[in-house]
């Protein structure tokens, strides 16, 4: 049993360290290359990408780092538990909400590509988008604030049995949330907070289905009917819409699997690999999605290629020099 406990802790620490490294690397490259692409004003898509990347960084630094500390044998105190649970809930909701926002944004752009408007789009919508991004941050913080008030200390919890206590997971067992009323716990913690994640995921699936229908309409259209060519901005929208569908599949699969495992935690709590599996499912989206988000915008992809070419040239890893690719204009937002 001792060897199993050591293996469980070591595996969770290794998994969390890998998640932290891969996520911070991907989000750092994404933020750097996106920032280099800004010329005059902040486009809406870039604001959403910045928000997603910053959310990923916060989740990995706070949640996974404290998981490593807990797996190393240091019990968390009351304040650390409150911050941990609050950050985990807030970042998960922001990831889902901003992904949904990005999906709706590019679904509307794809609709204009497939069915062009007779009049140019209103440029004043950009200010409204930025206000909406700020409002989502405020809403997520307000919704998750009760966790900062009602977070309980892990040291006051009594384990169910010796074998189960050996496989405690920091987020789900050591930092429980204690509400003063059972009705509040039921309607807020178990109903409202789940709906706040599940409802946007359902809408995200529907939006992705609309994107697939628009792709089908675009393939059937002819040059003389609706769709009229491969403009660089239109090509960017088509590529970004495909990435959105992949993001939908990723976030939905990870969230549903994670939710099912947590819901049945008392039945599978003795599985010594469970903490590492939960950590991978919980932070998998923040680890993998930055590398998909790099493909959305043409200029971001171009900056990443230039950065890779620069690094390879300095380290002499790339045989020969690569030809420079001229920048193309992106969609005005």
């Amino acid at each position: 049993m001792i060897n199993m406990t050591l293996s469980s802790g070591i595996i969770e620490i290794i998994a969390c360290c890998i998640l932290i490294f891969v996520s911070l690397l991907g989000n750092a490259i994404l933020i750097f290359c996106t920032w280099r692409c800004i010329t005059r004003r902040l486009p809406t898509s870039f604001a959403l990408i910045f928000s997603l990347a910053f959310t990923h960084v916060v989740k990995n630094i706070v949640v996974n780092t404290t998981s490593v500390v807990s797996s190393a044998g240091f019990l968390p105190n009351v304040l650390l538990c409150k911050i941990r649970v609050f950050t985990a809930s807030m970042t998960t909701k922001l990831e889902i909400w901003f992904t949904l926002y990005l999906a709706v944004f590019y679904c509307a752009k794809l609709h204009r590509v497939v069915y062009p408007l007779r009049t140019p789009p209103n440029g004043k919508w950009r200010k409204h988008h930025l206000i909406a991004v700020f409002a989502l941050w405020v809403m997520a913080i307000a919704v998750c604030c009760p966790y900062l008030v009602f977070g309980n200390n892990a040291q006051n919890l009594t384990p169910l049995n010796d074998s189960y206590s050996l496989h405690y997971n920091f987020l789900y067992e050591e930092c429980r949330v204690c509400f003063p009323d059972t009705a509040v716990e039921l309607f807020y913690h178990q109903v409202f907070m789940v709906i706040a994640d599940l409802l946007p995921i359902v809408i995200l699936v529907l939006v992705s289905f609309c994107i697939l229908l628009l792709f089908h309409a675009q393939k059937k259209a002819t040059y003389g009917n609706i769709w009229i060519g491969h403009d660089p901005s239109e090509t960017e929208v088509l590529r970004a819409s495909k990435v959105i569908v992949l993001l939908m599949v990723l976030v939905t699969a990870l969230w549903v699997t994670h939710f099912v495992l947590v819901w049945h935690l008392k039945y599978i709590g003795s599985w010594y690999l469970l903490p590492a599996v939960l950590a991978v499912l919980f932070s998998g989206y923040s680890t993998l999605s930055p590398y998909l988000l790099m493909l959305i915008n043409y200029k971001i992809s171009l900056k990443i290629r230039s950065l890779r070419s620069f690094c390879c040239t300095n380290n002499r890893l790339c045989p020969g020099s690569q030809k420079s690719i001229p920048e193309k204009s992106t969609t005005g937002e």
Side-chain angles (χ1 to χ4, degrees):
M1 185 63 66
I2 296 178
N3 293 333
M4 183 178 294
T5 305
L6 293 177
S7 300
S8 174
I10 292 174
I11 291 175
E12 184 178 9
I13 291 175
I14 293 174
C16 290
C17 290
I18 293 175
L19 290 170
I20 293 172
F21 174 76
V22 176
S23 179
L24 292 183
L25 177 63
N27 286 289
I29 296 175
L30 180 64
I31 293 174
F32 174 77
C33 294
T34 305
W35 182 263
R36 291 292 300 272
C37 293
I38 299 176
T39 55
R40 293 178 298 174
R41 58 182 185 178
L42 180 65
T44 303
S45 60
F46 285 9
L48 293 172
I49 290 174
F50 278 135
S51 298
L52 269 174
F54 184 73
T55 302
H56 296 334
V57 171
V58 172
K59 169 178 275 192
N60 278 275
I61 290 179
V62 176
V63 179
N64 288 329
T65 302
T66 49
S67 293
V68 172
V69 174
S70 175
S71 299
F74 299 95
L75 292 179
N77 54 25
V78 178
L79 180 60
L80 187 60
C81 275
K82 290 181 179 182
I83 295 175
R84 173 62 148 76
V85 176
F86 167 78
T87 305
S89 179
M90 181 192 68
T91 53
T92 299
K93 284 170 176 52
L94 286 175
E95 285 176 346
I96 297 173
W97 295 354
F98 283 130
T99 304
L100 174 60
Y101 202 139
L102 203 62
V104 174
F105 178 76
Y106 276 106
C107 183
K109 281 183 168 292
L110 182 61
H111 188 274
R112 290 203 300 264
V113 171
V114 179
Y115 304 101
L117 300 176
R118 294 184 178 180
T119 57
N122 188 1
K124 296 182 179 180
W125 278 102
R126 173 181 164 274
K127 182 184 297 185
H128 298 300
H129 286 308
L130 296 179
I131 294 175
V133 170
F134 177 76
L136 287 179
W137 277 99
V138 175
M139 187 184 305
I141 295 174
V143 166
C144 300
C145 269
Y147 286 130
L148 292 176
V149 179
F150 301 110
N152 198 5
N153 190 1
Q155 298 177 356
N156 296 330
L157 298 178
T158 302
L160 298 178
N161 51 61
D162 294 337
S163 61
Y164 187 72
S165 64
L166 291 174
H167 311 300
Y168 263 9
N169 180 270
F170 182 39
L171 177 60
Y172 311 101
E173 293 300 330
E174 292 183 350
C175 286
R176 290 182 180 177
V177 179
C178 181
F179 291 94
D181 190 0
T182 55
V184 175
E185 181 177 359
L186 174 63
F187 290 104
Y188 172 77
H189 182 57
Q190 300 183 15
V191 177
F192 175 74
M193 297 302 282
V194 174
I195 293 178
D197 287 345
L198 185 59
L199 183 60
I201 288 179
V202 173
I203 299 175
L204 177 61
V205 173
L206 296 177
V207 173
S208 300
F209 183 71
C210 293
I211 291 175
L212 294 178
L213 291 179
L214 289 173
F215 273 120
H216 181 68
Q218 180 260 328
K219 289 182 179 180
K220 292 178 62 177
T222 61
Y223 287 97
N225 184 12
I226 301 174
W227 190 65
I228 54 173
H230 288 277
D231 184 79
S233 61
E234 295 178 355
T235 303
E236 176 184 318
V237 172
L238 294 173
R239 182 176 61 250
S241 300
K242 295 176 182 177
V243 173
I244 292 300
V245 176
L246 295 177
L247 291 176
M248 180 275 299
V249 174
L250 182 63
V251 69
T252 302
L254 292 175
W255 189 92
V256 171
T257 307
H258 181 268
F259 177 79
V260 171
L261 290 180
V262 173
W263 187 262
H264 297 88
L265 191 63
K266 61 181 179 180
Y267 303 109
I268 59 177
S270 59
W271 185 30
Y272 75 100
L273 287 177
L274 182 62
V277 173
L278 289 175
V280 172
L281 292 175
F282 185 74
S283 302
Y285 185 70
S286 62
T287 303
L288 299 177
S289 62
Y291 300 94
L292 294 176
L293 291 170
M294 294 176 188
L295 306 175
I296 284 185
N297 189 277
Y298 173 80
K299 285 187 176 181
I300 296 177
S301 302
L302 184 62
K303 290 293 183 182
I304 293 174
R305 293 178 193 174
S306 301
L307 181 63
R308 177 179 176 274
S309 177
F310 175 77
C311 294
C312 290
T313 302
N314 288 345
N315 294 304
R316 296 183 179 180
L317 297 176
C318 298
S321 60
Q322 297 181 354
K323 295 182 179 180
S324 59
I325 304 175
E327 293 191 8
K328 299 180 181 180
S329 62
T330 56
T331 307
E333 300 171 7

